[in-house]
Amino acid sequence: MSAPVDEDDFSRKSLKRQKKKYRDEKRRITKELVSALQDPTVVVMADWLKIRGALKKWNRFYCVLKPGLLIIYKNKKADRGDWVGTVLLNLCELIERPSKKDGFCFKLYHPMDMSIWGNRGPLGQSYGSFSLNPLNTSHLICRASSDQVGRCWMDALELSFKCTGLLKRTMNKLGEKQDDENGTDNEENDQPTSNDLDSDEETREERSETDAERHFREIDEAEQDDGQKSETSENDGSFEESAWVQSAKETFGTGSGDINDQNKSIIWALLKQLRPGMDLSKVTLPTFILEPRSYLEKLSDFHYHADMLSEAINAPDPHQRMIKVMKYVLSGFYKKPKGLKKPYNPILGESFRCRWDHPDGSSTFYIAEQVSHHPPITSFYITNRKVGFNINATILAKSKFYGNSMAALLIGKINLTLLNLGETYSLDLPYVYCKNLLVGTATMEHGGEIKIECSKTGYSGDLEFHLKPLIGGKPNKISGHIKYGSETISKIEGYWDEHITIKHTADKKTEDLWRVTPETYEKRLPRFEIKFEDQLDHESVKLWKKVSEAIADEDQEQATIEKTKLEDAQRERAKSGVPHQQKYFKKVGDEYEYIYADYRPWDTNNDLRQVESNYIIRTIDKTEKVVLKKKNKVTHADSYDSVSNASVDIERKKKRGDEGDLEKAVKELQQSGETSFRKLQAALEQGFFEERNARQKQLYIILFVFTIIHASLVTLFLKR
């Protein structure tokens, strides 16, 4: 018989094997780290950077970026005494940092303000080189010499973050090595021999490249899976496309009109309290001169011809693109208000959204937010990636009083980017001039100059809006030029509400640039807005609803009361001392940018369409199409099931003879039928059926129609 096994002896041997495996693994990791630190070929990037110290002064250091580590030296020689410190990148977050100075600034920081520094140098140094301007412990602010170099550093750091796993993030193991090798339980007796280490070295070197490739492949796959999971989760519930309805029919006016004697006396009493040149943004104006909509919505009037930008994108040369951009800018002015009216001053945090549908099936989305109240600043973002453009703007609105007239100044820049070409056109807006407030017929005109510039092409343009002279002349005159550098290429003249021509200096040829005709009004893109019941409390239409209703009823007293309530609530929020946080825009320098902006060119092989949900605009691609199909399919099936269940419930209650419950059940059935009908309308408006093949389209529509007919017939039968 075999001798019995001693469990204690077996346990001791197992523990020894575990300790030996632990020491071997620790030694291997430490050796890989030390070799990577000392090997001059294992470098992701190396260059000079300016780094801001704790005393907020800048010093120049030579920085060496290795996998997972950023090593900082005083000199390029990188000798033992030149080492300043080593940043552990696995502890850091990376972010671009705005700066007034030249160059490109970025920041490495620990989100919890913990130390980002390793306690050992690349050669085992315990203390770094002495500096009168020590570096911060929880962050590092760096400045590259140019934007291009800074972007390279950002990309290299992102790559180095991925390399961190190869080094096991174990800088402190250099200091632990000696202590562990002299550990308890006579561990030194179990040390592997040098022959064992040498025999394994070749195998490790052969594995190194394969391990590295596997490491990065696993990272990429994990990131891809996470992205798909997050997008899927959004489509499964948290990201539902907004329900849009077509806006009410537009009203066009002449931009002029008489103010009756009663209202003129109110204006006179108000203006007597003002002085010429005074800013009217802090003055409460009477409600009878208000247009019943917000200034955020008013700004959308300039973009009803957004489809014109496709002409600019498809133009063959930069000169033609500048002409098409000018034509698009001019297309926003000819719509005049009905009478002399001023839109509401937006409340801080107020927002507005809408969209225009293009003939090619794409949509242009408009997002606007009042990001500041004093001073009054509005930001808006417009996008149609399928056509190929984005527009971002930050505008400061000021009103000035000049006795019998007043002017609204729109200060700021509008940046139009053509995505496929990488060209950005920067432009501003003219001021709005209202005259004859007390004497004569009140009129509104545009004045001032628009400058359009594209730094990439070198082309620029200017459009000057002329005010009508006191004697003679016509209103709404415009003139301008297109230049390449300082050379004038084309001249522009005409009237922005009638006809504008452009004359090219090279061949003396004159052609139409812009003409307002009855067909122009018909070509305005249909605009859609969010259903009122789905709007958020801070959206313009819902926010000003009671004021607009009172103005429509010509109840100026009630309009003033409701307007005062909104303004008082805003003052109370300001007195609370809680700083306002923008919802959809973030401040970058002196401007505000849309948080969810996407400046990628449209990918015809992958991108399907842009959608909006709760002010978030995103692009649906082919990987998400199946998810959206499943979601809509479940929704439509649910609508039919709800009607069927309601019908069965009615039959059951009818047999019991419960009249009260029966009446309630009939109402539920009617609501189910109405809900199904609304879903059918929404599906048609959102183009749901257009994405299906002919067979699917027939089945879905038959199911919808049958559901509605079913509900209607049962309801009529029960009423009889």
Side-chain angles (χ1 to χ4, degrees):
M1 294 180 63
S2 59
V5 178
D6 189 347
E7 292 184 2
D8 292 340
D9 184 55
F10 179 81
S11 178
R12 283 194 295 272
K13 289 181 179 179
S14 176
L15 180 61
K16 278 189 175 182
R17 283 195 296 270
Q18 292 177 17
K19 288 182 178 179
K20 181 177 182 297
K21 185 177 180 181
Y22 159 73
R23 288 192 298 271
D24 290 346
E25 183 68 12
K26 183 177 68 66
R27 187 179 293 106
R28 183 182 69 82
I29 292 171
T30 303
K31 187 173 182 180
E32 286 180 358
L33 177 62
V34 174
S35 63
L37 289 174
Q38 297 177 351
D39 189 350
T41 63
V42 185
V43 174
V44 179
M45 189 172 179
D47 201 355
W48 290 96
L49 283 175
K50 285 187 177 181
I51 300 178
R52 197 175 82 165
L55 301 179
K56 296 187 177 181
K57 293 183 179 180
W58 295 86
N59 291 101
R60 196 163 176 260
F61 295 101
Y62 188 72
C63 301
V64 178
L65 181 61
K66 288 176 175 283
L69 303 170
L70 177 65
I71 308 173
I72 301 173
Y73 298 96
K74 273 194 169 183
N75 297 304
K76 194 172 182 179
K77 293 181 180 180
D79 291 334
R80 184 181 184 89
D82 292 329
W83 175 71
V84 176
T86 301
V87 179
L88 304 179
L89 295 179
N90 68 294
L91 303 178
C92 295
E93 294 290 338
L94 175 66
I95 190 172
E96 182 181 340
R97 187 177 186 274
S99 178
K100 295 180 180 179
K101 297 184 178 180
D102 295 335
F104 183 92
C105 203
F106 61 88
K107 182 177 182 178
L108 288 163
Y109 68 99
H110 194 294
M112 301 297 292
D113 287 336
M114 302 294 288
S115 176
I116 61 174
W117 299 96
N119 58 0
R120 295 279 179 170
L123 301 177
Q125 301 100 317
S126 299
Y127 299 98
S129 180
F130 176 75
S131 175
L132 293 174
N133 186 26
L135 301 179
N136 293 285
T137 59
S138 62
H139 68 271
L140 203 65
I141 300 175
C142 307
R143 183 191 304 281
S145 57
S146 66
D147 185 82
Q148 184 178 7
V149 175
R151 296 289 179 189
C152 289
W153 271 104
M154 292 278 284
D155 293 341
L157 285 164
E158 293 287 354
L159 174 63
S160 188
F161 287 157
K162 290 187 177 183
C163 299
T164 306
L166 291 175
L167 298 178
K168 303 296 185 182
R169 307 170 183 176
T170 52
M171 269 297 285
N172 58 346
K173 300 251 174 130
L174 285 172
E176 298 173 2
K177 181 178 179 182
Q178 190 65 34
D179 296 336
D180 288 346
E181 289 180 352
N182 295 328
T184 59
D185 296 332
N186 296 321
E187 291 180 7
E188 62 274 13
N189 296 329
D190 297 325
Q191 298 287 340
T193 63
S194 61
N195 290 335
D196 294 335
L197 290 174
D198 292 339
S199 63
D200 290 340
E201 189 63 30
E202 290 184 6
T203 306
R204 290 194 188 104
E205 289 180 357
E206 290 175 359
R207 284 199 315 242
S208 62
E209 286 192 23
T210 305
D211 291 342
E213 290 178 3
R214 187 183 301 114
H215 169 76
F216 287 110
R217 186 167 59 250
E218 289 172 354
I219 289 177
D220 293 337
E221 289 174 354
E223 290 179 350
Q224 186 175 0
D225 291 342
D226 290 343
Q228 290 178 352
K229 287 177 183 177
S230 63
E231 290 173 358
T232 302
S233 63
E234 284 183 338
N235 286 322
D236 284 341
S238 60
F239 194 97
E240 295 184 9
E241 188 174 355
S242 299
W244 299 88
V245 294
Q246 190 160 356
S247 301
K249 188 176 180 180
E250 292 183 86
T251 57
F252 296 85
T254 61
S256 63
D258 292 324
I259 301 176
N260 62 45
D261 293 338
Q262 180 183 358
N263 291 337
K264 189 168 288 189
S265 65
I266 297 176
I267 293 181
W268 177 250
L270 174 67
L271 297 184
K272 283 195 299 184
Q273 306 172 30
L274 307 178
R275 61 183 183 276
M278 185 176 180
D279 187 355
L280 295 179
S281 60
K282 299 180 181 180
V283 178
T284 302
L285 297 177
T287 55
F288 66 83
I289 67 170
L290 294 178
E291 183 181 2
R293 60 175 181 158
S294 175
Y295 173 66
L296 301 184
E297 183 178 355
K298 176 80 170 180
L299 285 173
S300 69
D301 286 350
F302 289 93
H303 308 285
Y304 271 85
H305 292 283
D307 54 330
M308 286 185 179
L309 286 173
S310 60
E311 300 178 11
I313 293 167
N314 297 323
D317 57 68
H319 180 214
Q320 290 297 319
R321 286 198 289 276
M322 178 59 75
I323 293 174
K324 300 300 182 183
V325 169
M326 276 196 161
K327 179 181 177 182
Y328 168 71
V329 172
L330 289 168
S331 70
F333 289 96
Y334 69 93
K335 180 183 177 181
K336 300 174 185 177
K338 191 176 181 180
L340 189 64
K341 298 289 184 179
K342 178 187 178 299
Y344 306 135
N345 289 331
I347 301 296
L348 181 62
E350 179 185 335
S351 61
F352 178 78
R353 51 181 162 162
C354 66
R355 84 165 197 231
W356 297 271
D357 286 354
H358 292 228
D360 64 358
S362 66
S363 295
T364 293
F365 293 91
Y366 172 89
I367 302 290
E369 181 182 358
Q370 189 71 7
V371 295
S372 173
H373 183 62
H374 289 303
I377 298 176
T378 301
S379 289
F380 66 81
Y381 174 78
I382 302 172
T383 181
N384 189 328
R385 289 187 57 239
K386 186 174 182 180
V387 172
F389 68 87
N390 282 357
I391 301 174
N392 194 85
T394 300
I395 297 175
L396 167 63
K398 287 187 175 182
S399 301
K400 296 289 185 179
F401 168 61
Y402 300 108
N404 193 35
S405 62
M406 58 190 231
L409 310 177
L410 306 178
I411 304 169
K413 287 292 183 182
I414 299 174
N415 295 312
L416 163 62
T417 302
L418 305 183
L419 303 179
N420 296 339
L421 301 169
E423 296 177 1
T424 298
Y425 294 80
S426 177
L427 59 122
D428 44 24
L429 290 173
Y431 63 84
V432 180
Y433 185 70
C434 301
K435 61 183 181 180
N436 300 333
L437 296 177
L438 300 174
V439 180
T441 301
T443 58
M444 185 202 75
E445 300 180 54
H446 288 288
E449 187 178 19
I450 292 180
K451 290 185 177 180
I452 307 174
E453 299 176 337
C454 180
S455 58
K456 184 175 181 179
T457 64
Y459 279 84
S460 63
D462 61 84
L463 294 169
E464 184 176 359
F465 291 75
H466 301 275
L467 298 176
K468 183 181 180 299
L470 291 175
I471 301 175
K474 286 180 62 178
N476 306 331
K477 185 179 180 181
I478 193 172
S479 62
H481 307 82
I482 293 179
K483 297 181 179 180
Y484 180 71
S486 59
E487 180 185 0
T488 299
I489 307 297
S490 305
K491 294 183 179 181
I492 300 166
E493 60 181 12
Y495 298 88
W496 52 260
D497 60 340
E498 295 179 4
H499 182 211
I500 300 174
T501 60
I502 180 169
K503 183 178 182 180
H504 306 297
T505 55
D507 55 8
K508 307 298 182 182
K509 183 180 178 181
T510 301
E511 57 185 4
D512 287 347
L513 175 62
W514 174 245
R515 185 185 291 273
V516 180
T517 63
E519 289 75 18
T520 306
Y521 291 86
E522 295 176 2
K523 290 181 179 179
R524 292 174 71 84
L525 296 177
R527 198 189 80 171
F528 294 81
E529 57 191 47
I530 302 298
K531 295 170 64 176
F532 181 81
E533 54 268 25
D534 294 339
Q535 290 186 21
L536 305 174
D537 291 338
H538 56 76
E539 295 199 53
S540 296
V541 177
K542 180 171 282 190
L543 188 67
W544 295 95
K545 177 177 181 290
K546 293 182 179 179
V547 182
S548 299
E549 288 177 346
I551 292 176
D553 295 338
E554 297 184 355
D555 188 348
Q556 303 302 332
E557 182 178 352
Q558 184 63 31
T560 302
I561 293 173
E562 298 297 339
K563 181 172 176 286
T564 303
K565 287 180 182 178
L566 294 175
E567 293 168 345
D568 289 344
Q570 182 172 235
R571 295 187 187 100
E572 289 299 322
R573 288 194 297 271
K575 290 178 182 179
S576 66
V578 179
H580 174 71
Q581 181 64 44
Q582 290 80 22
K583 300 179 184 69
Y584 314 113
F585 290 81
K586 62 180 178 180
K587 192 170 185 179
V588 180
D590 295 330
E591 298 182 350
Y592 290 83
E593 293 183 359
Y594 179 59
I595 296 174
Y596 308 101
D598 189 348
Y599 284 84
R600 295 174 300 152
W602 186 259
D603 184 356
T604 55
N605 296 319
N606 189 46
D607 295 335
L608 294 177
R609 62 192 180 98
Q610 281 183 291
V611 296
E612 182 275 344
S613 175
N614 290 331
Y615 286 87
I616 300 174
I617 301 173
R618 59 176 292 186
T619 302
I620 300 297
D621 56 32
K622 289 182 179 178
T623 61
E624 299 172 274
K625 186 174 183 181
V626 175
V627 178
L628 289 174
K629 274 185 181 180
K630 290 179 180 177
K631 176 184 170 184
N632 282 294
K633 192 172 183 179
V634 171
T635 301
H636 304 326
D638 289 345
S639 67
Y640 176 70
D641 290 341
S642 64
V643 174
S644 300
N645 293 336
S647 301
V648 173
D649 190 41
I650 287 174
E651 293 296 332
R652 190 183 301 115
K653 292 177 179 179
K654 187 176 181 182
K655 289 179 180 179
R656 291 204 308 262
D658 191 339
E659 295 295 333
D661 287 346
L662 181 61
E663 184 178 355
K664 182 179 178 182
V666 170
K667 289 183 179 179
E668 291 177 356
L669 178 60
Q670 288 177 314
Q671 292 175 355
S672 298
E674 292 172 0
T675 302
S676 181
F677 183 70
R678 285 197 298 269
K679 287 181 179 179
L680 175 59
Q681 283 184 314
L684 289 169
E685 291 173 357
Q686 296 170 12
F688 172 74
F689 295 113
E690 295 174 4
E691 297 179 3
R692 272 70 188 162
N693 58 39
R695 182 64 177 167
Q696 285 179 319
K697 188 174 180 179
Q698 290 175 355
L699 291 173
Y700 273 114
I701 294 179
I702 289 172
L703 176 62
F704 263 126
V705 174
F706 178 74
T707 303
I708 297 166
I709 293 174
H710 183 186
S712 302
L713 289 176
V714 173
T715 304
L716 290 173
F717 175 76
L718 290 171
K719 285 183 177 180
R720 290 182 180 180

